[in-house]
Every structure is written in structure tokens, then in C-alpha cells.
Amino acid sequence: MSIALQEISDSGLVVAIARYREDALAEAYRRHAGAVFALARRVLADLTTAEEVVQEVFLRLWNQPDKFDPDRGSLRSYLLAQTHGRSVDLLRSDTSRRRREEREARRTAEAGYDLEHEVWDLTVADKVKEAVAVLPVAERRAIELAYFGGHTYREVATLLGEPEGTVKSRIRAGLQRMRSALKSSELSDTGDVAWN
Amino acid sequence: MELKHHEIEELLGVYALDAVSAEEADLVETHIRECPRCRAEVAAHREVAASLAHVGSTAPPGVWSRIAGNLEEAPPQLDMARVVSMRGRSPRRSVPLRAAAAMVAIAAAVIALLGVQVSQLNGKTDQLDVALRRQGLDQAAQSALFDESARKVDLRSEDGATFAKAVLRDNGEAYLVGNNLPKLPDDQTYQLWAVVGNRTVSIGVLGPEPGVSPFKVAGAGVSALAVTAEQSGGVVVSAKTPVVRGLLPVV
């Protein structure tokens, strides 16, 4: 009995990957590498490093498929959490941070670049945009700076001139608010929806 | 530093966005291992964060070929199988199992090393289709047990009180019937090992409550089987005394 890989769920793909099915990894790559790459590029603002992160994330899935626990979320959110974590690690290393800041400063000077504005424009799903729109500005800005800017909440607090506790609360409340909005639009399970 | 539950809760959102210090991340990770509610909240936050990613983007050209070029090589000389479960893929390399050293010695004396492939076809913890397949597995194992040409192995504990049965058909199909193995705590798992020549190789992680576990053995090089109780996810090298073990009949 053989089922086309294109027809099986993400969780099924990971089972096949755990059995050393390279074609299953290729299918997971086809479904999610675009989002992985986009997030890494967005956080790192560096094409080459973002590609390296993509490579790392999928090799890690190949080498340690057991790290993915379907009970704890979709494959997509797992891969993106891996991507974000690795990107932030790189970003927080001195060299990468300096390069990124120089690049951002140059772009800002050259084209009036607005990182946060670009970030939200790139968010493609309309229902996600709607969910983002329900956020109060203060929550949205805190999430933007933390998630896409790769800042710690302490850095976000400094940037926004807010107490650290307030930033923590806003980020948590904002994520919960978005979750509710996405649920109500039946988009809360992004994992197995997005690749179809 | 130790934080109270409500202090950890306040960190869950920023933790999910990797916006905490390394020390705070450690605290949260330690906490959510034990707290399902907080673990679920982190998972929910990460789903939301994932929804923010640019779903329409395409993968960069050339990266896949670099990934494919870096995938692990196929299993070495013995061509030992990939042994996997959703909880922990066993290593491909064959490893010494100290506890089974005596069995190794016997096996090495008797068995010539032939090309052997051992592959576990179904991870015990495959959460997708185990339930659906369970009935079919039982029937398949029963059918194998009635196959006169199949090799049957009784695996027993030293005191004989605990036992399991394995059956290996000529076509490579094999089953471990482990219904009588006592249930382990959830953070432990049974692990199946094969002795091949002078090596002991992990066949698979069976979970804490194994029923019928299928695997595949092609070739005649397997001389013995053993089952150990390990920490969840399995181990590379076991230092445990096998819960049960048994020698295969010589072909």
C-alpha cells in the first residue's frame, strides 16, 4: 500500500522522515521552507544567513524528528519556532547584530525604510491581518519588536519607554487576543491548512 | 533563581517569541516540562506567531540541494535499519549492549555475519495510525506464529517470570509480541535490541506498554533479541540488564 506523500498530513510526513524517507523531508521542505526562509530573512535581514538557517532547520528535522511532538502544535509552528530561535541566537551574537544594524541604518537612510511597516505588509493572510488589526497599538508594537525585531522584552521596554512588566503583559495579552481572533475565523490551526 | 507559578505565566508570551534571557528561558523550559497548562499556552502562542509568517513565500533555490547533500549516509556495513518512533529515533550505528555481552559471545561463535537488514516498519508511538493498525497487527502476528517455517523466539527474564515472544518469517517480516511485559511509567520505554555477529543493535523503541510491534529482518545474521527498559526516547548504549532476552534458533 502506498500513499502519495503529497496526500499525507504533516505529522505523517515526520513519521516517514523518522524512517529515513528523504522524499518525505523534501515534501516537508516544499510545504514549509518558504515560510521558514521568509521568517529567517525577516528577522536577520540577511539573505545568506537566512538560507543557512533554512538548511539548519531542515537538517535538524531530519536528524532529530523525535523533537517534533504533534501534541504540542503543528509542524509549521514547530519549524518556525526553530527558525525564530536560531535566527534570534544569530542576531544576538555581536557580529550579526552589528552587521544587521549597519544594514538597517543604511536602508533607512537610503529609502526611508520602516522595518515594522514592511513586516506587517508582508503578512499575507487576510485573516491574520484581521487578527492583527484587533490588537491595540501598544500590544502590536511590542509583538513586532520582539518577534520580528528579535529583541528581548527588556529591550522592547527600553525602546518603547515602558516598564518591563507592562511589555510582558502586553505581549502575552496580544498573543491571546490574536489567538481568539484567529479561532473565530477558523484559522487557528495554521499548520495543516497552509500547505494545502 | 526560582519563580512562582504566576511569575512563570507572565513569561510565557515573551518566552514563546524568544524574547527572554537565556536564564529565563531555562526557568520556563524546566517549568513547562512539568506543567501541561503552561506548556499548552506556549504551544498556542507559537501557533499564533507561526500565523504571522509569510506563507506565500517560496523556498530559496539551491538550498534544498545543500540539505540533500548533507543528509546522513545510509546505515553502515551491517546496513542496519532505521529504527524510529515519534519519541526517539534510535541510532543507526550498532552499539555494544554491555548487559547482553554473554549473548554476544554466543552469537559470535555460532553466527556468520551475513548481510542483514533490520528495519522497524512501524514506530510503536506512531500516533497517527497505530490504533487503526493494531487489529491488523495482531492478526499478522498470529498468522506468523502459525507459520511453521517462521523462527520463534521466547524471550524471558532471568527468573522466567516475564516473557515476550518474537516471530521471524522467511520473508523478513517479524513481530515482537510484548503484551505480557509489565507497563512502565510514562517516562520510560521498552527498547528492542538485536545481536548480530558481535554487535548489538537497537531495533526500536517500543513505548511503555508494548503490544505487538512489527519489524523487519532480512538475512540470517541475527542471533539473539533482547528488550531493555530505558528512559523515554531510548538510548544509544544500554547499561541495563535486559528485561527479557532470547536466542534465535540456528537456521
Side-chain angles (χ1 to χ4, degrees):
Chain A
M1 181 180 70
S2 174
I3 300 172
L5 284 171
Q6 290 82 356
E7 295 172 17
I8 70 174
S9 70
D10 277 354
S11 296
L13 276 186
V14 179
V15 172
I17 288 167
R19 293 171 187 161
Y20 294 90
R21 289 276 303 269
E22 187 177 326
D23 52 351
L25 184 70
E27 176 62 15
Y29 183 86
R30 187 188 70 77
R31 292 179 189 178
H32 302 299
V36 166
F37 175 61
L39 178 61
R41 188 179 55 181
R42 202 174 295 173
V43 173
L44 291 161
D46 184 292
L47 195 71
T48 305
T49 317
E51 288 184 355
E52 289 168 3
V53 169
V54 175
Q55 192 173 333
E56 276 184 44
V57 165
F58 282 92
L59 281 174
R60 182 179 163 86
L61 179 63
W62 175 257
N63 292 323
Q64 298 178 298
D66 49 298
K67 296 282 184 190
F68 167 64
D69 181 350
D71 291 340
R72 293 172 70 168
S74 65
L75 177 62
R76 186 183 192 78
S77 74
Y78 169 77
L79 292 173
L80 290 170
Q82 296 287 310
T83 303
H84 192 265
R86 183 64 186 135
S87 300
V88 164
D89 284 346
L90 290 169
L91 192 63
R92 288 176 190 164
S93 71
D94 287 339
T95 308
S96 291
R97 174 174 282 280
R98 191 162 54 248
R99 272 167 38 202
R100 179 173 180 269
E101 286 172 353
E102 287 170 1
R103 193 163 41 249
E104 285 180 5
R106 192 164 57 246
R107 283 200 297 196
T108 303
E110 288 170 359
Y113 175 76
D114 180 340
L115 173 66
E116 294 165 37
H117 189 71
E118 180 190 68
V119 157
W120 290 110
D121 280 352
L122 281 172
T123 304
V124 293
D126 284 344
K127 289 185 178 177
V128 174
K129 283 183 179 174
E130 288 168 14
V132 169
V134 306
L135 298 181
V137 173
E139 288 177 6
R140 178 177 140 172
R141 282 186 58 77
I143 291 173
E144 285 172 350
L145 288 167
Y147 191 57
F148 294 116
H151 296 288
T152 66
Y153 73 88
R154 291 192 174 87
E155 291 170 339
V156 174
T158 303
L159 288 166
L160 296 178
E162 300 277 5
E164 291 175 3
T166 303
V167 168
K168 272 193 291 191
S169 303
R170 283 184 177 157
I171 287 177
R172 188 175 177 217
L175 291 170
Q176 287 168 334
R177 206 185 303 278
M178 274 195 69
R179 174 82 174 168
S180 299
L182 288 168
K183 260 187 174 173
S184 67
S185 62
E186 297 180 345
L187 231 179
S188 58
D189 184 4
T190 56
D192 284 340
V193 172
W195 56 264
N196 279 324
Chain B
M1 182 171 62
E2 198 161 319
L3 297 180
K4 292 176 182 166
H5 191 269
H6 76 274
E7 293 173 308
I8 292 284
E9 279 184 328
E10 288 168 4
L11 283 171
L12 296 179
V14 286
Y15 167 78
L17 300 189
D18 301 306
V20 292
S21 66
E23 294 75 20
E24 288 166 325
D26 286 343
L27 287 169
V28 174
E29 278 156 19
T30 301
H31 176 81
I32 64 177
R33 273 199 290 271
E34 305 297 328
C35 179
R37 195 175 69 180
C38 289
R39 192 162 62 234
E41 181 174 331
V42 169
H45 290 326
R46 285 189 167 152
E47 290 290 342
V48 171
S51 73
L52 296 172
H54 184 22
V55 294
S57 183
T58 54
V63 175
W64 170 251
S65 58
R66 295 210 295 270
I67 292 169
N70 277 288
L71 299 181
E72 288 176 48
E73 299 281 323
Q77 306 115 356
L78 292 177
D79 208 14
M80 273 306 172
R82 306 90 187 247
V83 180
V84 287
S85 76
M86 291 297 291
R87 297 288 174 190
R89 183 161 68 191
S90 302
R92 282 186 229 196
R93 294 178 194 83
S94 55
V95 292
L97 175 63
R98 278 171 264 162
M103 295 164 61
V104 172
I106 295 166
V110 177
I111 304 295
L113 179 63
L114 302 176
V116 174
Q117 288 184 313
V118 180
S119 63
Q120 182 176 357
L121 297 178
N122 299 285
K124 176 66 184 173
T125 50
D126 180 338
Q127 296 174 24
L128 299 173
D129 53 6
V130 158
L132 291 172
R133 282 197 312 222
R134 188 175 297 281
Q135 191 178 356
L137 280 177
D138 289 346
Q139 288 173 354
Q142 280 179 26
S143 169
L145 285 165
F146 285 121
D147 180 351
E148 290 185 355
S149 65
R151 289 181 290 166
K152 286 96 177 178
V153 188
D154 287 318
L155 293 88
R156 294 191 178 279
S157 59
E158 285 185 6
D159 63 5
T162 307
F163 60 95
K165 196 169 189 72
V167 54
L168 294 77
R169 303 185 92 159
D170 292 343
N171 65 0
E173 242 179 69
Y175 301 89
L176 179 79
V177 183
N179 305 69
N180 291 312
L181 295 171
K183 184 179 185 313
L184 294 173
D186 287 344
D187 61 349
Q188 293 183 33
T189 182
Y190 285 108
Q191 188 162 356
L192 176 62
W193 306 84
V195 178
V196 181
N198 60 357
R199 299 177 179 219
T200 302
V201 182
S202 171
I203 293 186
V205 177
L206 309 176
E209 195 176 9
V212 176
S213 301
F215 56 102
K216 186 167 184 178
V217 177
V222 176
S223 59
L225 296 171
V227 176
T228 59
E230 308 290 352
Q231 64 191 39
S232 183
V235 294
V236 174
V237 178
S238 176
K240 302 281 183 63
T241 301
V243 177
V244 292
R245 59 189 175 184
L247 291 175
L248 270 71
V250 178
V251 180

